[in-house]
Amino acid sequence: MNVIPILIQLFERDLQKLKAEIVQYSQEENIWAIVPEINNSAGNLVLHLVGNLNTYIGAEIGKTGYIRNRPLEFSQKGLSKKELVNKISDTLDVIKESLNTLPEEALEEIYPQLVFEQKTSTGYLLTHLTTHLTYHLGQINYHRRLLDKA
């Protein structure tokens, strides 16, 4: 079974959902709102996901030259819906280009960077990245519904 097209489908599905979540905010400033008991705004979670995916897929697999500034992912504020959606779209393009050049057998190889406490396979890391995206997508959905209700 060829897993790479499945991974691309999952990334595309959830990044399209992420764009839809951002567009659905009824008040654009709520994208950046921090509410009690929720530590991150939706905007910062988008920047975090974009940074994460561009680092581990774009820079490492696709050799894009992307350089991550993780602290900025959580401190930058005020980007518009359009800017966030464009960043998500650009990230999806990078994922497709990067993964479409990855041979299936590379999934079994050790991922070149130490991401967790111990080395993992590239396939494991890519699977983790899909679930990480989905986790934060759910947080953003909850954040939007909570703030749009107020």
Side-chain angles (χ1 to χ4, degrees):
M1 178 203 295
N2 195 349
V3 177
I4 292 173
I6 295 168
L7 289 167
I8 293 170
Q9 277 184 325
L10 292 171
F11 282 118
E12 182 162 25
R13 178 196 70 187
D14 289 342
L15 287 170
Q16 295 297 355
K17 286 181 183 178
L18 182 59
K19 287 194 291 188
E21 285 293 337
I22 296 305
V23 168
Q24 287 180 69
Y25 273 83
S26 60
Q27 296 176 29
E28 195 157 337
E29 65 272 10
N30 283 347
I31 293 170
W32 298 98
I34 302 287
V35 294
E37 306 298 320
I38 299 177
N39 295 330
N40 295 304
S41 70
N44 289 117
L45 288 174
V46 168
L47 294 176
H48 170 60
L49 288 167
V50 163
N52 193 49
L53 295 168
N54 275 290
T55 297
Y56 297 121
I57 297 176
E60 188 61 52
I61 295 172
K63 306 298 183 209
T64 62
Y66 180 85
I67 298 173
R68 187 176 194 180
N69 183 343
R70 194 172 191 279
L72 191 62
E73 295 168 14
F74 295 99
S75 64
Q76 188 174 11
K77 308 286 182 210
L79 277 70
S80 68
K81 282 184 185 184
K82 182 178 181 183
E83 289 171 302
L84 290 172
V85 166
N86 286 343
K87 284 182 178 291
I88 297 165
S89 293
D90 292 346
T91 300
L92 179 56
D93 290 343
V94 165
I95 289 170
K96 287 178 177 179
E97 290 170 18
S98 299
L99 294 184
N100 276 322
T101 65
L102 188 68
E104 189 76 19
E105 57 273 9
L107 296 176
E108 299 298 322
E109 296 171 5
I110 297 298
Y111 186 78
Q113 291 184 39
L114 180 63
V115 180
F116 307 108
E117 291 180 13
Q118 57 188 350
K119 291 267 188 176
T120 63
S121 70
T122 298
Y124 179 92
L125 181 68
L126 290 171
T127 302
H128 165 77
L129 292 174
T130 64
T131 61
H132 179 257
L133 169 57
T134 304
Y135 173 73
H136 287 312
L137 176 59
Q139 290 178 316
I140 292 167
N141 172 268
Y142 178 75
H143 183 267
R144 179 188 55 77
R145 289 182 296 114
L146 182 68
L147 290 172
D148 279 354
K149 186 173 75 168

